[in-house]
């Protein structure tokens, strides 16, 4: 049985974010508009503000995977589901965390985190999508806001305490747990009961979203059943089963609801299998030897039409090991067959960079950009290749435009800082580093960097004016951030 006192620190956030009031309706096709239920406590705009604040702290305190290929994949998958969800009132952003446990969670404002370990256990893209659809339902049904309102009715001080504790859990888990126990008087059994009914509501709505988005609605109960069976006799449950309990009644309910929809038989998703291989190669905690063993074992079991994705994963391990000839032998046939595949282009670019074949990589990336001009993967790869080729101004031109369009992407600002450092343009480097600091809520460092950048810029120049204007914005952002924190 789930108990707060015994839960590992990294489970607390998920546990809090997956609790709320009982389900309102039973009909899977009748999705209630309960967005105003928590309006007297938290407006949508305020939720978005909290979400932005939590994400800045998250970037500074959690191992977020800033891999352009995987980020583009999870964003595409998530937004395909959001496009088919009901009651969407916030923007959505999906991010990956390097954590080997099976888990996913939803923050305020449509920010949804997925652990890398989930890829090892989801056999199909529909299974992964079922977890994300479930988390989307937590957001659209405003489960966290509704829980806070319910607790605030019992104790007016509870909401501020829980909001502050959530922030502490993100920034300093142990302190967050202490604060939670000290400032809340929530019944453990009552919270557990809310969790179970809340989870069923998210399951019901998530299954509906899955079906509308063209995924297999049976994927959710299949995934639940396999997890429940796998951990039936263990005393150490994965975070997902602690923060999202799986009693038999919930599994049965999800199976019955999925049976209301037509069975969808989908071919294996190439992009999911490629994303999974990339995760195994780099982000699930395997050593390079263990990763190679995993791929070799899977190649013996997998059907022939899934070998290319596994060979892609092996090629990444060989690249990281510096065994470029072996990597090229696996990668070249894949890229020849699918020259516009972003997974293969990215890997080929890595291989070219290690072999200092800059012109070859640049030509490939520029050709690919003609067909996919908005691709973050291609833009960042080209900017990085130009940096390595010492064509700094061309790289800066790409990154300046990219960072304007994608201001929350750490990759763009980090590459800009590197470019300016190579050119000894200290003011530009400081400004880019200031943006990185701001994305992590390190306001003092961000303001200090921009102050130095303005001092180094030519007096009366456009750069100086731009730095001064950004300083004003950062001070306002800092004041807003601190006002939110002080309200807890």
């Amino acid at each position: 049985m789930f108990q707060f006192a015994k839960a590992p620190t990294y489970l607390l956030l998920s546990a809090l974010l997956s609790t709320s009031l009982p389900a309102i309706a039973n009909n899977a096709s009748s999705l209630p508009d309960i967005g105003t239920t928590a309006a007297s406590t938290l407006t949508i705009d305020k939720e978005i503000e909290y979400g932005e604040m939590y994400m800045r702290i998250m970037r500074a305190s959690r191992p977020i995977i800033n891999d352009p290929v995987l980020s583009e994949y999870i964003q595409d998958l998530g937004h395909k589901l959001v496009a088919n969800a009901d009651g969407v009132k916030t923007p959505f952003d999906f991010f990956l965390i390097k954590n080997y446990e099976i888990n996913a969670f939803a923050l305020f404002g449509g920010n949804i985190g997925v652990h890398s370990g989930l890829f090892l256990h989801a056999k199909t893209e529909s299974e992964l999508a079922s977890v994300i659809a479930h988390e989307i339902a937590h957001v659209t049904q405003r489960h966290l806001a509704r829980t806070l309102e319910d607790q605030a009715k019992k104790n007016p001080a509870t909401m501020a305490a829980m909001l502050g504790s959530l922030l502490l859990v993100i920034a300093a888990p142990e302190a967050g747990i202490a604060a939670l126990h000290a400032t809340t008087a929530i019944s453990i059994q009552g919270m557990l009961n809310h969790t179970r009914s809340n989870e069923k509501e998210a399951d019901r709505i998530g299954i509906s979203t899955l079906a509308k988005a063209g995924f297999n609605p049976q994927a959710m109960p299949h995934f639940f059943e396999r997890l429940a069976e796998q951990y039936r006799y263990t005393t150490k449950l994965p975070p997902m089963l602690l923060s999202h309990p799986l009693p038999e009644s919930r599994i049965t309910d999800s199976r019955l609801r999925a049976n209301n929809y037509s069975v969808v038989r989908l071919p294996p998703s190439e992009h999911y299998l490629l994303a999974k291989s990339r995760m195994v190669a780099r982000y699930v905690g395997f050593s390079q030897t263990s990763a190679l063993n995993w791929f070799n074992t899977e190649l013996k079991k997998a059907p022939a039409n899934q070998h290319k994705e596994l060979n892609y994963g092996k090629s990444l391990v060989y690249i990281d090991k510096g065994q470029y000839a072996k990597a090229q032998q696996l990668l070249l046939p894949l890229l020849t067959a699918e020259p516009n595949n972003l997974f293969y282009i990215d890997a080929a670019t890595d291989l070219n960079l290690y072999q200092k074949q800059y012109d070859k990589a640049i030509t490939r990336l520029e050709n690919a950009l003609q067909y996919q001009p908005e691709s973050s993967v291609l833009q960042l790869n080209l900017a990085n290749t130009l940096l390595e080729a010492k064509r700094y101004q061309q790289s800066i031109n790409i990154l300046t435009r990219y960072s304007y369009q994608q201001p929350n992407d750490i990759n763009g600002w980090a590459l800009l800082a590197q470019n300016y450092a190579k050119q000894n343009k200290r003011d530009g480097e400081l400004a880019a580093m200031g943006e990185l600091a701001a994305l992590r809520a390190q306001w003092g460092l961000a303001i200090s960097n921009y102050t130095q950048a303005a001092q180094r810029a030519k007096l009366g120049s456009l750069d100086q004016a731009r730095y001064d204007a950004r300083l004003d914005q950062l001070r306002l952002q800092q004041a807003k951030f601190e006002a939110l924190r002080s309200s807890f």
Side-chain angles (χ1 to χ4, degrees):
M1 180 178 290
F2 172 55
Q3 297 182 11
F4 280 103
K6 295 182 181 179
T9 59
Y10 54 80
L11 302 180
L12 183 57
L13 180 62
S14 295
L16 286 172
L17 295 178
S18 61
T19 58
S20 187
L21 301 176
I24 295 176
N26 293 321
N27 188 342
S29 63
S30 175
L31 305 181
D33 180 8
I34 51 77
T36 58
T37 302
S40 62
T41 302
L42 283 175
T43 65
I44 294 292
D45 288 344
K46 186 61 69 175
E47 282 193 47
I48 293 173
E49 288 182 9
Y50 285 138
E52 180 185 343
M53 177 177 64
Y54 290 151
M55 279 306 301
R56 289 184 191 273
I57 298 297
M58 183 79 72
R59 293 188 194 102
S61 59
R62 291 291 180 271
I64 291 178
I65 297 174
N66 294 303
D67 182 310
V69 180
L70 291 173
S71 294
E72 192 162 301
Y73 169 76
I74 203 68
Q75 290 283 4
D76 287 347
L77 176 59
H79 284 105
K80 181 179 180 180
L81 291 163
V82 170
N84 290 277
D86 291 275
V88 175
K89 297 180 176 67
T90 66
F92 273 82
D93 185 65
F94 302 87
F95 61 98
L96 297 162
I97 292 182
K98 188 177 181 180
N99 189 305
Y100 318 136
E101 303 287 354
I102 312 167
N103 208 7
F105 58 89
L107 288 167
F108 277 126
N111 297 292
I112 292 179
V114 177
H115 284 198
S116 58
L118 191 57
F119 282 74
L120 272 178
H121 292 80
K123 291 186 178 298
T124 65
E125 187 172 53
S126 286
E127 289 191 354
L128 177 63
S130 74
V131 176
I132 297 173
H134 175 100
E135 298 303 330
I136 290 170
H138 279 314
V139 175
T140 60
Q141 299 304 290
R142 304 192 70 199
H143 283 159
L144 179 56
R146 292 159 64 192
T147 295
L148 293 178
E149 182 180 63
D150 185 51
Q151 297 303 322
K153 288 176 181 177
K154 302 172 186 176
N155 179 358
T158 298
M159 176 176 295
M162 288 187 70
L163 286 169
S165 295
L166 281 172
L167 181 59
L168 282 173
V169 167
I170 294 171
E174 295 297 342
I177 288 176
L180 184 74
H181 286 302
T183 59
T184 60
I186 301 172
S187 160
I188 298 298
Q189 187 59 49
M191 186 68 96
L192 181 61
N193 291 341
H194 283 323
T195 298
R196 286 175 175 168
S197 57
N198 205 43
E199 292 302 290
K200 285 186 178 181
E201 182 176 57
D203 293 344
R204 171 176 60 81
I205 295 170
I207 287 172
S208 174
T209 300
L210 269 183
K212 290 179 181 177
F215 293 101
N216 181 10
Q218 295 290 338
M220 186 177 288
H222 288 169
F223 189 51
F224 287 170
E225 289 165 358
R226 197 168 65 253
L227 280 184
E229 181 62 30
Q230 182 177 349
Y231 292 97
R232 187 178 302 278
Y233 302 109
T234 184
T235 57
K236 184 179 180 181
L237 295 176
M240 190 166 183
L241 297 189
L242 288 172
S243 59
H244 300 69
L246 269 181
E248 186 61 37
S249 61
R250 182 182 167 201
I251 297 174
T252 300
D253 185 70
S254 68
R255 188 189 308 118
L256 291 173
R257 292 195 180 280
N259 287 342
N260 291 327
Y261 299 89
S262 300
V263 176
V264 178
R265 302 194 185 282
L266 298 171
S269 166
E270 178 188 13
H271 280 183
Y272 171 68
L273 294 175
L274 288 169
K276 182 172 184 174
S277 286
R278 191 174 181 90
M279 279 290 190
V280 170
R282 290 178 171 170
Y283 301 109
V284 298
F286 286 173
S287 67
Q288 291 173 341
T289 300
S290 296
L292 284 176
N293 289 339
W294 187 91
F295 285 119
N296 288 330
T297 299
E298 291 298 311
L299 280 165
K300 293 176 182 176
K301 299 187 300 183
N305 63 355
Q306 295 181 24
H307 283 196
K308 63 179 182 179
E309 292 88 359
L310 294 168
N311 282 327
Y312 160 74
K314 283 186 68 174
S315 76
L316 293 181
V317 179
Y318 284 136
I319 290 172
D320 296 342
K321 285 171 66 70
Q323 297 179 2
Y324 304 132
K326 289 184 177 180
Q328 186 164 325
Q329 185 178 11
L330 290 172
L331 189 59
L332 186 58
L334 303 177
L335 188 62
T336 301
E338 298 181 56
N340 293 318
N341 186 306
L342 295 178
F343 287 88
Y344 301 154
I345 291 174
D346 176 88
T349 302
D350 286 348
L351 189 57
N352 291 150
L353 292 184
Y354 285 123
Q355 296 175 315
K356 301 188 185 303
Q357 298 172 342
Y358 305 125
D359 290 343
K360 188 174 182 179
I362 290 169
T363 298
R364 181 190 302 110
L365 291 164
E366 288 178 339
N367 288 339
L369 276 165
Q370 294 181 29
Y371 301 97
Q372 303 179 71
E374 302 303 318
S375 169
S376 297
V377 173
L378 295 177
Q379 292 180 66
L380 290 170
N381 266 285
L382 180 56
N384 186 49
T385 304
L386 290 167
L387 167 63
E388 293 295 326
K390 301 182 180 181
R391 292 162 61 172
Y392 304 124
Q393 193 55 52
Q394 287 177 270
S395 182
I396 288 172
N397 291 342
I398 293 171
L399 292 167
T400 300
R401 181 173 61 253
Y402 178 83
S403 295
Y404 177 79
Q405 296 170 339
Q406 305 285 345
N408 292 335
D409 189 344
I410 283 175
N411 293 299
W413 296 114
L415 285 173
L416 262 178
Q418 293 177 47
N419 269 289
Y420 283 123
K422 292 291 186 180
Q423 288 188 303
N424 292 318
K425 292 184 177 180
R426 183 60 175 157
D427 60 319
E429 181 187 4
L430 284 164
M433 291 172 63
E435 295 297 338
L436 287 171
L439 285 172
R440 298 178 175 120
Q442 298 165 343
W443 300 108
L445 179 59
I447 290 170
S448 174
N449 280 343
Y450 262 101
T451 299
Q452 294 180 63
Q455 292 169 347
R456 288 173 175 271
K458 184 178 179 181
L459 186 64
S461 66
L462 288 175
D463 282 338
Q464 187 183 58
R466 181 165 57 86
Y467 298 150
D468 286 338
R470 185 60 178 139
L471 268 171
D472 292 338
Q473 292 175 339
L474 288 171
R475 292 188 178 107
L476 288 173
Q477 287 180 305
Q478 181 187 29
K480 182 178 178 181
F481 183 92
E482 296 300 337
L484 278 177
R485 292 190 65 162
S486 65
S487 66
F488 300 156

